[in-house]
């Protein structure tokens, strides 16, 4: 979408952006200023995650360059493409092509109903088969060790496997084996990975929350109850963990799903929310 279309959409979108100024703004200055590293944490939210593309576009317009990127679930998909420094137009195109459940295929592992074969193929092709270590920007995909319940930041090895693990909702998807550990959805432990970005060394951390909210949809049947349970848990974790961000960009996006040009509207919402948060972030970058 062109910049003019984004700006035209800003005033009408049902977006909520909250900003929290944190530790980075309070760090003491020295006589010899040093450039502080900026990290971004892209949260999970299934199709809501396409709003991350709008966030990246807004920061690109402002000239912000990220030194560290981490992502959970849908945020890992957009995040790994950004860490590869693909052109924004290409990230936009690839993000629009990700559909739920369009990437799923049947799995006969006995540990999940489906697997993300097509998602892996897309990531491998887009990155030219590069591993996480070979990406120009340090990247971490958040996953959960299903045996221990521990959160993991996957920072080496196959980028497509790491993203697959981060997106693998238990029961629906088979766990992904990473270095002998069976990994599932990172949203179980860190749905917006602001703590992970801080641990990876960022001085300034921007958290982007695009999660589903409990109560946005009526839930029916067994799968409806399962997803509602995950939304409740994810939002409780986000409310606690997002406080570790220096700037938190939070959006309520579900009303845009299913509308005409919903992808365009989601991207515009991410752009608009970032622009609203910019006044709080800009002084930290001086």
């Amino acid at each position: 979408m062109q910049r003019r279309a984004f700006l035209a959409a800003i005033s009408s979108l049902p977006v909520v952006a909250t900003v929290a100024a944190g530790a980075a703004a309070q760090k003491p200055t020295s006589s010899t200023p040093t450039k502080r590293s900026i990290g971004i944490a892209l949260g999970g939210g299934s199709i809501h995650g396409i709003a991350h593309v709008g966030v990246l576009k807004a920061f690109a317009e402002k000239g912000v360059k990220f030194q560290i990127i981490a992502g959970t679930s849908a945020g890992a998909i957009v995040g790994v493409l950004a860490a590869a420094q693909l052109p924004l137009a290409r990230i936009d195109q690839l993000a629009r092509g990700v559909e739920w459940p369009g990437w799923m295929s049947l799995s006969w592992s006995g540990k999940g109903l489906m697997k993300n074969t097509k998602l892996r193929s897309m990531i491998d092709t887009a990155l030219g088969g590069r591993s996480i270590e070979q990406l120009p920007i340090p990247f971490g995909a958040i996953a959960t060790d299903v045996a221990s319940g521990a959160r993991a930041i996957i920072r080496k090895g196959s980028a497509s496997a790491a993203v697959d693990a981060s997106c693998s909702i238990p029961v629906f998807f088979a766990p992904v084996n990473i270095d002998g550990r069976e990994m599932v959805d990172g949203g179980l432990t860190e749905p917006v990975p602001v703590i992970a970005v801080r641990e990876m060394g960022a001085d300034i951390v921007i958290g982007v929350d695009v999660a589903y909210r409990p109560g946005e949809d009526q839930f029916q049947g067994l799968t409806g109850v399962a997803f509602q349970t995950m939304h409740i848990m994810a939002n409780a974790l986000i409310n606690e963990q997002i406080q570790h961000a220096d700037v938190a960009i939070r959006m309520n996006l579900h009303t845009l799903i299913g509308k005409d040009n919903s992808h365009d509207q989601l991207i515009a919402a991410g752009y608009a929310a970032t622009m609203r948060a910019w006044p709080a972030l800009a002084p930290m970058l001086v």
Side-chain angles (χ1 to χ4, degrees):
M1 175 179 284
Q2 298 299 317
R3 183 171 181 270
R4 183 177 299 174
F6 278 118
L7 294 174
I10 288 176
S11 61
S12 61
L13 287 168
V15 177
V16 175
T18 58
V19 179
Q26 301 170 2
K27 286 186 177 181
T29 58
S30 63
S31 56
T32 305
T34 57
K35 188 172 182 178
R36 290 175 290 176
S37 62
I38 307 169
I40 190 166
L42 303 177
S46 189
I47 194 172
H48 291 183
I50 198 172
H52 291 314
V53 177
V55 172
L56 295 179
K57 288 186 175 185
F59 280 125
E61 281 190 14
K62 293 295 186 181
V64 175
K65 297 184 183 299
F66 298 109
Q67 286 74 50
I68 294 170
I69 300 173
T72 297
S73 193
I77 298 173
V78 176
V80 78
L81 301 175
Q85 292 187 331
L86 296 185
L88 277 171
R90 180 61 173 154
I91 296 175
D92 185 320
Q93 179 189 36
L94 291 169
R96 289 171 187 268
V98 177
E99 295 288 353
W100 304 82
W103 291 109
M104 303 176 188
S105 57
L106 289 177
S107 168
W108 304 105
S109 70
K111 295 182 179 180
L113 300 175
M114 294 160 283
K115 55 185 177 181
N116 276 323
T117 304
K118 292 182 180 179
L119 175 62
R120 282 205 189 200
S121 178
M122 182 272 280
I123 297 293
D124 279 332
T125 300
L127 272 57
R130 284 177 290 175
S131 66
I132 294 175
E133 303 98 307
Q134 294 173 312
L135 300 180
I137 300 175
F139 171 74
I142 309 306
T144 303
D145 185 326
V146 73
S148 67
R151 180 268 259 149
I153 311 173
I154 306 173
R155 299 187 60 187
K156 63 180 182 178
S158 167
S160 62
V163 172
D164 184 5
S166 187
C167 294
S168 292
I169 301 169
V171 180
F172 292 93
F173 295 100
V176 178
N177 189 291
I178 305 286
D179 293 333
R181 302 167 70 188
E182 291 196 310
M183 298 291 187
V184 295
D185 192 353
L188 296 174
T189 48
E190 196 171 352
V192 181
V194 293
I195 298 173
V197 171
R198 187 79 69 190
E199 291 175 0
M200 290 169 67
D203 298 308
I204 301 169
V205 179
I206 302 162
V208 185
D209 171 22
V210 297
Y212 282 70
R213 311 300 177 198
E216 286 182 327
D217 255 341
Q218 292 186 345
F219 58 92
Q220 298 177 349
L222 181 61
T223 57
V225 172
F227 278 114
Q228 179 72 353
T229 301
M230 291 192 68
H231 298 333
I232 292 169
M233 178 190 66
N235 278 271
L237 287 171
I238 291 168
N239 290 337
E240 177 184 347
Q241 295 171 353
I242 201 79
Q243 298 177 55
H244 294 271
D246 296 296
V247 172
I249 302 171
R250 310 188 71 178
M251 291 167 268
N252 295 333
L253 298 167
H254 199 62
T255 57
L256 302 178
I257 303 301
K259 292 187 175 182
D260 292 340
N261 301 316
S262 60
H263 284 171
D264 289 343
Q265 293 196 45
L266 287 165
I267 292 171
Y271 181 96
T274 304
M275 289 301 189
R276 292 179 184 180
W278 179 252
L281 177 61
M284 302 181 193
L285 307 181
V286 176

